[in-house]
């Protein structure tokens, strides 16, 4: 095999592998997720996909000497549609993920046929390698990084905009007021009254080693855990000296982390602050998952 033949064969392999890689990167992604991702330098995954399709058309023009002189039906899809990329990036951006992926397949297949059927030609070969292999792989890497880092399909910035973490935390602090909890209340009903607006109906709670699915069941689980303390407050045997959030942050996956601390006074108080952490995932302004875990209590 001559160097030119090897070069052509290697490029064909790369082009065919690229088709599969793009399909895998986009599998399961909807139009809304791509448009609202906001996690890529181009603005969204949909923008990247539109750019990829447009680049494929430009690469096909580069390797097809007679392309501009051919009737447009020469490039028509199996159903007679013209690849949208031929109308430019603005038109491509209006197409759905599924349609753009189909257009890409048509254009990439045409490029493969052209490169298989002729000898590599200097600048044209280099252009296709740059656009359809090197640059293409960089863009797929970007999509894959976004997919691996986002737990609910949006960027960290998008999650911050949609979350109501500070508002929920303030509602919890308000609930902790002694005159509120010292009354004769059913905790589960109280949680539902105050917090239903923050939690989705199918929200999942991890408390200790247990997992509870559904908002109603999760609130009942929280009430069961807090009932002994609530009983002491109702009987006047304990009081809340302090109750506060000590730290708040967002991790690399977009989860919201808040550290909490409370100090109880009264007959049964140990004098040590009780500390715990909440880790929440938000979607569409509602908590969809929360983990509550103990933290070591500081020495008095």
């Amino acid at each position: 095999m001559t160097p030119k033949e090897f070069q052509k064969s290697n490029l064909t392999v790369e082009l065919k592998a690229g088709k599969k890689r793009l399909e895998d990167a986009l599998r399961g992604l909807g139009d809304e997720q791509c448009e609202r991702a906001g996690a890529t330098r181009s603005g969204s995954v949909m923008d990247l996909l539109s750019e990829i399709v447009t680049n494929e058309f430009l690469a096909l023009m580069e390797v097809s000497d007679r392309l501009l002189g051919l009737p447009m039906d020469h490039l028509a899809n199996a159903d007679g549609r013209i690849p949208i990329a031929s109308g430019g990036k603005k038109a491509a951006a209006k197409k759905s993920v599924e349609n753009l992926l189909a257009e890409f397949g048509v254009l990439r297949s045409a490029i493969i046929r052209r490169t298989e059927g002729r000898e590599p030609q200097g600048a044209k070969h280099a252009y296709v390698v740059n656009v359809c292999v090197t640059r293409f792989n960089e863009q797929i890497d970007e999509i894959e990084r976004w997919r691996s880092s986002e737990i609910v399909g949006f960027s960290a910035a998008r999650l911050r905009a949609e979350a109501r973490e500070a508002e929920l935390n303030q509602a919890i602090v308000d609930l902790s007021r002694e005159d509120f909890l010292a009354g004769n209340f059913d905790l589960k009903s109280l949680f539902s009254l105050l917090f239903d607006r923050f939690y989705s109906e199918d929200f999942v709670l991890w408390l200790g080693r247990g997992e509870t699915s559904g908002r109603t069941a999760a609130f009942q689980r929280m009430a069961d855990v807090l009932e002994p303390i609530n009983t002491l407050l109702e009987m006047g045997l304990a009081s809340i000296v302090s109750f506060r959030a000590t730290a708040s942050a967002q991790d690399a996956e977009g989860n919201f982390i808040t550290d909490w601390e409370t100090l109880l006074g009264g007959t049964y108080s140990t004098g040590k602050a009780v500390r715990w952490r909440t880790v929440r995932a938000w979607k569409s302004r509602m908590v969809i998952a929360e983990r509550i875990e103990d933290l070591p209590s500081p020495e008095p």
Side-chain angles (χ1 to χ4, degrees):
M1 179 181 292
T2 66
K4 285 188 177 181
E5 290 173 335
F6 176 79
Q7 191 179 50
K8 180 172 70 172
S9 176
N10 186 61
L11 176 58
T12 299
V13 170
E14 290 279 2
L15 292 173
K16 290 180 178 178
K19 290 178 62 178
K20 179 65 163 58
R21 190 178 180 198
L22 181 59
E23 291 172 358
D24 290 342
L26 294 175
R27 183 176 291 116
L29 285 182
D31 292 341
E32 183 180 5
Q33 283 180 304
C34 289
E35 290 169 353
R36 299 173 66 187
T40 66
R41 63 174 177 269
S42 299
S44 74
V45 176
M46 181 69 86
D47 293 332
L48 272 181
L49 181 55
S50 298
E51 182 180 337
I52 289 171
V53 173
T54 301
N55 288 341
E56 291 294 312
F57 180 75
L58 296 176
L60 182 57
M61 289 180 63
E62 180 68 19
V63 298
S64 301
D65 296 334
R66 297 183 297 117
L67 182 62
L68 296 179
L70 292 177
M72 289 303 293
D73 59 3
H74 179 79
L75 289 175
N77 299 344
D79 60 1
R81 293 182 295 111
I82 303 300
I84 195 67
S86 61
K89 184 175 180 179
K90 183 176 180 180
K94 297 179 181 180
K95 303 293 287 184
S96 70
V97 173
E98 182 180 352
N99 286 343
L100 283 170
L101 189 57
E103 309 294 5
F104 171 85
V106 171
L107 294 165
R108 175 58 63 96
S109 295
I111 294 172
I112 292 172
R113 288 196 301 270
R114 298 297 293 179
T115 56
E116 285 181 328
R118 62 169 58 189
E119 290 295 321
Q121 297 181 23
K124 293 183 178 181
H125 178 274
Y127 181 85
V128 173
V129 170
N130 179 58
V131 172
C132 297
V133 179
T134 304
R135 187 174 177 185
F136 171 82
N137 286 334
E138 291 173 351
Q139 291 174 315
I140 300 303
D141 286 342
E142 193 164 355
I143 294 175
E144 290 175 343
R145 282 194 300 272
W146 172 76
R147 290 202 67 148
S148 65
S149 65
E150 303 304 325
I151 60 175
V152 292
F154 300 122
S155 69
R158 184 78 188 186
L159 287 171
R160 282 194 297 273
E162 293 202 344
R164 295 184 290 162
E165 184 77 3
E167 186 180 346
L168 172 54
N169 287 344
Q170 184 59 53
I172 294 172
V173 171
D174 292 342
L175 175 62
S176 72
R177 293 177 302 176
E178 182 182 349
D179 57 343
F180 202 170
L181 285 178
N184 185 20
F185 291 104
D186 171 55
L187 283 180
K188 176 181 171 296
S189 298
L190 190 59
F191 291 163
S192 181
L193 176 65
L194 297 177
F195 303 135
D196 271 3
R197 59 195 176 102
F198 294 105
Y199 289 87
S200 67
E201 291 186 3
D202 55 354
F203 131 80
V204 179
L205 171 70
W206 287 270
L207 181 56
R209 296 185 178 181
E211 176 183 331
T212 307
S213 298
R215 184 173 61 200
T216 300
F219 284 172
Q220 183 63 62
R221 172 66 176 148
M222 292 181 185
D224 292 343
V225 170
L226 294 174
E227 187 59 40
I229 296 176
N230 189 53
T231 299
L232 293 176
L233 293 172
E234 289 179 346
M235 297 174 64
L237 298 176
S239 62
I240 299 176
V241 176
S242 66
F243 187 103
R244 64 194 182 100
T246 60
S248 185
Q250 186 181 15
D251 65 18
E253 294 182 335
N255 301 310
F256 289 83
I257 302 171
T258 301
D259 290 350
W260 296 87
E261 179 181 278
T262 187
L263 179 62
L264 298 179
T267 305
Y268 294 93
S269 174
T270 64
K272 287 186 177 182
V274 178
R275 302 175 66 238
W276 69 98
R277 171 173 292 166
T278 57
V279 183
R280 302 187 185 107
W282 291 79
K283 183 177 183 180
S284 301
R285 298 180 63 78
M286 304 289 279
V287 178
I288 61 172
E290 180 170 346
R291 184 173 72 252
I292 302 176
E293 54 194 31
D294 292 333
L295 293 176
S297 295
E299 294 298 326

